[in-house]
């Protein structure tokens, strides 16, 4: 049994577009995997130089075109960490330049464009990944393994939530609130997409139809007015195997920092994963309930692979992100790591988001495109 995440056989040369929080997360992960941080580009030459200094990149480039074309940078992969509405153009340019791509979600703000990008990556034979990183918590993989092994029995119910409070007051504001930058959906596209991805990944089934309600709690904030994107979403879902359930997504839930929770209820057992308590998994049966602690010696092979420190030494979000980047880079090197979220998963997330918006607008059940 190995407890190492997949690692590339050679040094990957990585470039970064954007210089904010997510660029910092991506660059830390790339550095942890042993990549060469060859350069970056941001919204202006001065911002590019500032980002390069802060993130420890070899050089800040004046533009995306300069970054992609520079022979000294010689990029293998481009990490796209910019506002949502800019993703598609940057991804397309990187793919057309022959670069592998890791793009923050949403891959695009509409499903048709996302599908075009996925097709382009496939045509060029390029690795294209979207960081649905909660898949990379070892105990999320253990939940998946328990369901796949049949230990839970047939799934009959699901419940999930993703609750945050960073936009809980009208004085809280962010570029994501602006539809022109963030796209037509905010709360669901931003965090609801993670919830559905984790649900479908652990369940091994897809949401086939849904009924959604959205709410914009604050129509005006500190700098944004006439806000059209949603603060919270409630969704009833039906899965391909017949299970039904409920999902709640909110960015205005006081006291909740990153409350991502998925519970899968089967005929024999229930399994619950909580991202804020990622070192354990709750397993419930009619006879008893127990907390399964992360211990590589007692986990399924895939969960043990991602469990890179001894039991009792907590792992967290950056560890999961590092493991995602390690697997993405391994795919670039020719490996086929299990569970890597690709552009196909990015397309799926946008299609689910569009179904949520259609259902909320009509008040009716809506089918989710495959």
């Amino acid at each position: 049994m190995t407890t190492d995440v997949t690692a590339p056989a050679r040094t990957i040369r990585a470039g970064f577009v954007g210089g904010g929080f997510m660029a910092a997360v991506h660059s830390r992960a790339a550095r942890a995997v042993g990549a060469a941080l060859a350069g970056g580009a941001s919204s202006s030459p001065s911002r590019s130089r500032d980002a390069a200094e802060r993130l420890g990149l070899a050089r800040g480039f004046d533009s995306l075109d300069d970054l992609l074309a520079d022979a000294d940078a010689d990029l293998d992969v481009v990490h796209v960490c910019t506002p949502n509405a800019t993703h598609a153009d940057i991804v397309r340019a990187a793919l057309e330049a022959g670069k592998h791509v890791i793009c923050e979600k949403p891959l695009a703000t509409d499903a048709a464009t996302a599908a075009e990008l996925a097709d382009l990556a496939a045509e060029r034979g390029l690795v294209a990944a979207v960081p649905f990183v909660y898949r990379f918590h070892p105990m999320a993989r253990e939940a998946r393994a328990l369901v796949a092994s049949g230990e839970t029995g047939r799934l009959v119910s699901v419940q999930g939530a993703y609750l945050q409070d960073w936009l809980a007051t009208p004085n809280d504001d962010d570029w994501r609130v602006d539809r022109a930058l963030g796209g037509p959906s905010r709360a669901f596209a931003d965090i609801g997409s993670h919830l559905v991805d984790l649900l479908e990944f652990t369940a091994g089934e897809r949401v086939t139809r849904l009924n959604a309600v959205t709410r914009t709690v604050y129509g005006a904030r500190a700098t944004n007015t006439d806000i059209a994107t949603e603060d919270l979403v409630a969704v009833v879902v039906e899965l391909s195997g017949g299970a039904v359930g409920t999902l709640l997504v909110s960015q205005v839930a006081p006291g909740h920092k990153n409350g991502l929770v998925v519970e899968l209820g089967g005929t024999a057992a229930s399994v619950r994963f909580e991202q804020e308590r990622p070192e354990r998994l709750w397993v419930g049966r009619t006879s008893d309930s127990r907390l399964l602690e992360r211990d590589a010696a007692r986990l399924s092979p895939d969960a043990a692979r991602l469990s890179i420190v001894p039991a009792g030494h907590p792992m967290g979000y950056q560890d999961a992100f590092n493991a995602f980047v390690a697997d993405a880079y391994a795919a670039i090197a020719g490996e086929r790591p299990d569970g890597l979220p690709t552009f196909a998963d990015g397309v799926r997330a946008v299609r689910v988001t569009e179904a949520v918006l259609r259902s909320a607008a009509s008040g009716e059940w809506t089918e989710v495109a495959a």
Side-chain angles (χ1 to χ4, degrees):
M1 178 188 70
T2 178
T3 57
D4 293 330
V5 295
T6 305
R10 63 178 182 82
T11 299
I12 299 292
R13 296 186 62 80
F16 302 83
V17 188
F21 169 76
M22 288 314 305
V25 174
H26 280 248
S27 63
R28 284 196 295 268
R31 184 178 293 106
V33 180
L37 278 57
S42 196
S43 56
S44 69
S46 63
R47 286 179 177 270
S48 296
R49 289 190 294 271
D50 173 70
E53 183 176 353
R54 284 187 294 103
L55 303 179
L57 312 183
R59 179 182 167 191
F61 288 81
D62 287 352
S63 69
L64 172 65
D65 290 342
D66 290 345
L67 174 65
L68 295 176
D70 190 85
D72 290 333
D74 189 25
L75 301 182
D76 294 298
V77 61
V78 175
H79 291 248
V80 181
C81 314
T82 58
N84 301 350
T86 67
H87 290 177
D89 288 344
I90 296 169
V91 169
R92 187 177 292 107
L95 293 173
E96 289 177 346
K99 311 302 181 184
H100 305 286
V101 176
I102 296 175
C103 179
E104 269 301 318
K105 48 85 195 139
L107 177 55
T109 55
D110 67 273
T113 301
E116 290 172 9
L117 297 173
D119 289 344
L120 178 59
E123 290 167 6
R124 299 295 177 95
L126 296 167
V127 173
V130 176
F132 287 116
V133 298
Y134 299 112
R135 296 181 177 197
F136 288 83
H137 281 295
M139 300 312 286
R141 294 289 174 117
E142 188 67 11
R144 180 189 186 217
L146 290 175
V147 174
S149 71
E151 188 164 337
T152 60
R154 178 171 57 89
L155 289 183
V156 294
S157 67
V158 296
Q159 57 177 307
Y162 202 155
L163 308 179
Q164 297 178 334
D165 69 358
W166 66 288
L167 290 172
T169 78
N171 292 321
D172 299 319
D173 214 336
D174 187 78
W175 62 261
R176 293 169 179 82
V177 169
D178 184 352
R179 181 187 178 103
L181 294 174
S185 171
R186 178 177 20 106
F188 198 86
D190 186 24
I191 58 176
S193 57
H194 277 296
L195 173 58
V196 172
D197 180 80
L198 187 61
L199 169 63
E200 293 186 336
F201 183 70
T202 53
E205 299 181 14
R206 286 192 162 187
V207 174
T208 56
R209 64 181 192 135
L210 54 82
N211 198 327
V213 175
T214 64
R215 290 287 183 272
T216 301
V217 176
Y218 300 114
R221 291 181 175 272
T223 59
N224 284 282
T225 58
D226 299 322
I227 296 171
T229 55
E230 77 282 356
D231 289 310
L232 60 87
V233 187
V235 192
V236 181
V237 298
E238 183 175 314
L239 273 61
S240 52
V244 295
T246 58
L247 308 177
L248 180 63
V249 177
S250 176
Q251 293 176 323
V252 292
H256 292 277
K257 303 308 176 185
N258 202 60
L260 171 59
V261 178
V262 171
E263 183 171 323
L264 310 171
T267 53
S270 299
V271 176
R272 181 182 179 91
F273 172 76
E274 300 181 20
Q275 194 277 154
E276 290 186 331
R277 298 172 178 82
E279 292 289 281
R280 68 190 194 190
L281 195 66
W282 178 81
V283 181
R285 295 180 175 83
T286 54
S287 58
D288 61 15
S289 298
R290 65 189 177 106
L291 290 176
L292 180 62
E293 301 288 347
R294 182 185 60 78
D295 183 346
R298 294 171 175 79
L299 299 179
S300 61
D302 197 30
R305 177 181 76 90
L306 297 172
S307 186
I308 62 171
V309 298
H313 296 73
M315 294 178 62
Y317 171 74
Q318 188 69 54
D319 294 300
F321 214 106
N322 294 0
F324 158 71
V325 170
D327 275 7
Y329 286 6
I332 291 170
E335 302 290 335
R336 297 175 64 91
D338 179 53
L340 178 67
T342 67
F343 273 18
D345 299 294
V347 175
R348 171 67 180 171
V350 183
R351 285 176 175 162
V352 174
T353 299
E354 289 187 342
V356 166
L357 295 182
R358 288 197 306 273
S359 176
S362 69
E364 299 177 350
W365 281 90
T366 301
E367 303 292 321
V368 181

